[in-house]
Amino acid sequence: QVQLVESGGGLVQAGGSLRLSCVASGLTFGNYAMAWFRQAPGKEREYVSAMSGTITPIYSDSVKGRCTISRDNAKNTVYLQMNSLKPEDTAVYYCAARETWPSLISRDYRYWGQGTQVTVAS
């Protein structure tokens, strides 16, 4: 049984920081590309960042320079460090996994977590 569990969301003031975590189980973590997507109310899901174990991480234009994705294969965990947060970053952030290469398309990912809420107050 594959599970992805996100954590680390919360309420922060504009300009603040958060680090999201996603712990995966039930899969061979090193064989999977991991990604972060987000979805705000009334909007479609959009990618934030993605990476495999060997490919240079990719970022959406909206977060590039403010976010860093990383992974710890020994802990089966992927992280998203977010700095200089803006109100427009407010969304539910989802962790996703697919074998083997990263993609920016949400439908390409087979496994998803339940999401963690990020709210940035102005």
Side-chain angles (χ1 to χ4, degrees):
Q1 185 176 14
V2 175
Q3 288 187 317
L4 275 58
V5 180
E6 304 97 334
S7 62
L11 173 65
V12 298
Q13 298 296 313
S17 298
L18 285 172
R19 190 178 78 156
L20 308 183
S21 299
C22 172
V23 180
S25 61
L27 53 76
T28 304
F29 188 75
N31 293 340
Y32 283 77
M34 305 297 297
W36 289 95
F37 291 81
R38 67 185 183 185
Q39 187 167 25
K43 297 183 178 180
E44 63 184 357
R45 189 168 298 184
E46 64 175 351
Y47 81 94
V48 177
S49 184
M51 70 178 301
S52 70
T54 58
I55 302 299
T56 302
I58 53 176
Y59 301 92
S60 69
D61 290 340
S62 63
V63 305
K64 188 175 182 179
R66 300 187 296 119
C67 294
T68 302
I69 189 172
S70 61
R71 62 190 291 164
D72 186 338
N73 288 351
K75 297 180 179 179
N76 285 12
T77 302
V78 62
Y79 306 93
L80 184 69
Q81 177 69 45
M82 302 190 293
N83 302 317
S84 301
L85 285 164
K86 306 173 181 179
E88 49 263 47
D89 294 318
T90 296
V92 177
Y93 284 71
Y94 297 92
C95 176
R98 73 183 301 268
E99 191 176 22
T100 302
W101 307 108
S103 171
L104 305 184
I105 308 300
S106 62
R107 291 187 178 93
D108 288 346
Y109 289 83
R110 181 177 181 180
Y111 303 110
W112 292 85
Q114 294 299 307
T116 185
Q117 176 72 47
V118 172
T119 303
V120 184
S122 60

